Amino acid sequence: MPLIASRYRTILLLVGPPGRWLLPMLATLGLLAGCRDKAERVRPVWSAISESVYAAGTVKSGRQYQAFASAGGVIQAVLVREGDSVRVGTPLLSITSDVQQLNQENAALAARYGAVAANQSQLEAARQRIALQRRTMQNDLLQRTRQRQLWQQTIGTQLALEQKELAYAGSRTAYESAVLSYQTLQKQLDFAAAQARKNLQIAQKQASDFVLRSKVNGIVYQLYREKGEAVTPQTPLALLGDARHFVLEMQVDESDIVKIRPGQLVLVTLDSYKGQVFTARVSTISPMMNSTSRTFEVAAAFVRQPPVLYPFVSFEANIVLQTKAKALLIPRRLLVNDSTVLKSNGQLARVKTGLRDYQMVEILAGLTPADELTAPAQ
């Protein structure tokens, strides 16, 4: 019973009519004494206990990401709306750029000009030179053969024979040179055509970069820009993610992170689902600490997720470190310096503690269920 209320009631009785205040005053004093006799007494109990680490965070959709364009320009058209379902490759918006358009047209012109079919006249001229040099070489070979036959018959002169042999050697060299020139021209034209085609592919790829496409099968959660706005490759344009699977991303204090392991049970509560507890499992632990908040990011996956969820919904969680189905427990408020308890007879007893949660602590030694404890004076 509060002492102030008792005193106030006693004063009211004393100022009443004479002879009527004695009995109520005695009753009040007796009640005060009873309150002092009814100090809290607690006995250790056998029960289950789990030691856990508290964490808080936000829900994110599976494969959630911000979409960025690969090139800068002006948004020409927005092709989806927030909430639309998309598949991998679905166009989200298009960006236009005059320079990009001119580059693509120039590459197309170069590809048409460099095509082998467009240069058949050069190849035909080279083939005609080969044919001419072949006929010349064959004629010079015939003249040399005749001159040799005449020389064998002692007809003609040595000089004439040498001139015929020299003419044949020159025409043969010219023929071989014409063949080599044709082969070189063929390689040059093939290379120029392949290079032009490759440049066109590069231009077309750059043009495709001006159409932003989805990388996931999921939902368009948010569009950050509108038609007509100028954007750069560093400008976020949309937020997308998988609407069927969600991930729990939470912040764990650096003092607790060494206790966290993949696979540990996580008990999750969400403001959207009052009074319900959902289970999850730790999936990944970031190796880098946030130097500002002095926390580590830990991700967990639902064992059975709620029927309806949205990104960035906040939650609170307890990551279960250890669990005992049967342990001797007392309230944590009864501990003095984490190693001593006060018995109801006024004696102090040293205890050895084990697991603890926010309310209870396990007693490993120093107490039995028969001991009666009282809270230490505040």
Side-chain angles (χ1 to χ4, degrees):
M1 174 179 294
L3 183 58
I4 295 176
S6 301
R7 288 179 177 174
Y8 182 69
R9 184 179 178 186
T10 302
I11 293 171
L12 289 178
L13 292 172
L14 288 174
V15 298
R20 297 181 57 189
W21 53 269
L22 182 58
L23 183 59
M25 183 181 71
L26 293 175
T28 301
L29 293 175
L31 184 58
L32 290 172
C35 288
R36 288 193 297 268
D37 292 339
K38 292 181 180 178
E40 180 185 23
R41 288 178 170 81
V42 177
R43 293 181 186 275
V45 295
W46 290 102
S47 184
I49 186 172
S50 295
E51 183 179 13
S52 61
V53 168
Y54 172 81
T58 56
V59 174
K60 289 190 177 181
S61 67
R63 301 182 65 190
Q64 179 176 309
Y65 78 101
Q66 283 186 327
F68 293 81
S70 299
V74 176
I75 297 178
Q76 185 179 36
V78 179
L79 307 175
V80 293
R81 294 177 298 179
E82 292 180 352
D84 284 354
S85 296
V86 294
R87 307 287 297 175
V88 174
T90 300
L92 305 176
L93 53 84
S94 62
I95 299 171
T96 183
S97 170
D98 293 338
V99 174
Q100 176 273 329
Q101 183 66 30
L102 292 174
N103 286 338
Q104 186 176 5
E105 292 175 359
N106 185 60
L109 288 173
R112 287 195 295 270
Y113 178 79
V116 175
N119 293 277
Q120 286 300 315
S121 59
Q122 297 184 50
L123 292 174
E124 181 60 27
R127 283 194 289 267
Q128 289 178 3
R129 284 194 295 272
I130 292 175
L132 177 61
Q133 293 299 330
R134 182 187 297 111
R135 288 194 298 270
T136 302
M137 180 186 66
Q138 290 173 345
N139 182 66
D140 288 342
L141 176 61
L142 179 61
Q143 294 298 326
R144 189 200 67 171
T145 301
R146 289 176 178 176
Q147 191 63 39
R148 280 184 176 181
Q149 291 174 350
L150 291 173
W151 177 251
Q152 290 173 356
Q153 297 173 11
T154 65
I155 301 174
T157 63
Q158 179 71 27
L159 178 60
L161 177 60
E162 291 176 353
Q163 288 176 341
K164 297 300 182 181
E165 290 181 345
L166 183 61
Y168 169 70
S171 61
R172 186 178 65 182
T173 301
Y175 168 75
E176 292 173 350
S177 177
V179 172
L180 182 60
S181 296
Y182 175 84
Q183 294 173 345
T184 302
L185 177 61
Q186 181 74 59
K187 291 179 180 178
Q188 290 175 343
L189 293 177
D190 289 342
F191 173 77
Q195 189 177 50
R197 288 194 301 270
K198 187 62 66 176
N199 289 335
L200 179 59
Q201 290 175 0
I202 293 173
Q204 291 172 340
K205 176 61 173 65
Q206 290 174 341
S208 69
D209 290 342
F210 284 78
V211 177
L212 182 64
R213 300 177 183 275
S214 172
K215 297 180 181 179
V216 297
N217 298 329
I219 296 290
V220 179
Y221 285 111
Q222 191 171 3
L223 295 169
Y224 299 128
R225 295 292 184 269
E226 298 179 352
K227 179 180 178 181
E229 291 191 65
V231 297
T232 69
Q234 291 75 40
T235 305
L237 301 178
L239 178 70
L240 299 94
D242 186 350
R244 296 173 300 173
H245 304 97
F246 288 84
V247 177
L248 299 159
E249 289 190 357
M250 64 196 94
Q251 305 301 317
V252 176
D253 190 84
E254 63 173 322
S255 61
D256 295 321
I257 193 63
V258 295
K259 306 172 187 176
I260 308 302
R261 298 287 184 274
Q264 287 175 330
L265 179 67
V266 184
L267 304 178
V268 182
T269 58
L270 302 100
D271 289 341
S272 307
Y273 291 89
K274 295 289 187 181
Q276 298 186 53
V277 178
F278 299 93
T279 57
R281 294 283 179 182
V282 173
S283 54
T284 59
I285 303 169
S286 172
M288 179 64 70
M289 183 182 72
N290 185 319
S291 59
T292 303
S293 62
R294 313 297 297 180
T295 59
F296 288 79
E297 184 176 282
V298 175
F302 280 106
V303 174
R304 183 177 181 183
Q305 72 182 31
V308 179
L309 268 182
Y310 297 97
F312 303 115
V313 171
S314 61
F315 68 88
E316 293 183 331
N318 284 291
I319 305 174
V320 179
L321 305 179
Q322 299 182 65
T323 299
K324 277 191 177 181
K326 186 178 181 182
L328 189 63
L329 308 179
I330 64 171
R332 290 183 62 169
R333 66 179 183 277
L334 301 184
L335 279 178
V336 180
N337 297 328
D338 280 342
S339 62
T340 307
V341 295
L342 179 62
K343 294 186 176 182
S344 58
N345 59 10
Q347 294 181 346
L348 293 174
R350 295 187 63 84
V351 295
K352 181 180 179 182
T353 60
L355 302 184
R356 60 183 65 197
D357 59 20
Y358 292 104
Q359 294 183 336
M360 308 296 286
V361 60
E362 178 189 14
I363 302 299
L364 299 176
L367 291 177
T368 68
D371 290 323
E372 190 175 61
L373 310 176
T374 185
Q378 299 296 323

